């Protein structure tokens, strides 16, 4: 299915970009998913792995659930 292959291709490229920049892809994915709803659309490029590492990597992902 073309739609699924496009999504998979994007996921693989993001994963590869994270590895290229020395970023744990799981940490990146969690952090971006947590901040995306409040991040300005005009600054979406800040969420690319290259810029995210500089701007946000020092802020580890947190869980909203208290055990």
């Amino acid at each position: 299915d073309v739609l699924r292959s496009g999504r998979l291709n994007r996921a693989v490229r993001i994963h590869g970009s994270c590895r290229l920049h020395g970023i744990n892809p799981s940490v990146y994915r969690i952090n971006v998913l947590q901040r995306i709803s409040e991040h300005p659309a005009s600054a979406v490029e800040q969420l690319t792995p290259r810029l995210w590492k500089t701007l946000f990597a020092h802020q580890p992902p947190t869980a909203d659930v208290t055990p």
Side-chain angles (χ1 to χ4, degrees):
D1 187 66
V2 174
L3 183 58
R4 273 190 247 163
S5 76
R7 288 180 185 158
L8 179 60
N9 189 22
R10 280 191 297 275
V12 168
R13 286 190 317 222
I14 289 171
H15 185 88
S17 184
C18 286
R19 294 282 185 202
L20 180 68
H21 295 289
I23 300 168
N24 179 326
S26 296
V27 171
Y28 169 78
R29 184 175 47 250
I30 291 167
N31 189 272
V32 168
L33 288 173
Q34 287 180 337
R35 73 175 59 250
I36 200 163
S37 67
E38 296 179 10
H39 196 79
S42 61
V44 71
E45 72 279 352
Q46 292 177 346
L47 299 179
T48 61
R50 181 178 60 85
L51 294 177
W52 176 89
K53 182 177 182 178
T54 304
L55 299 170
F56 306 114
H58 63 280
Q59 301 169 357
T62 58
D64 292 334
V65 178
T66 305

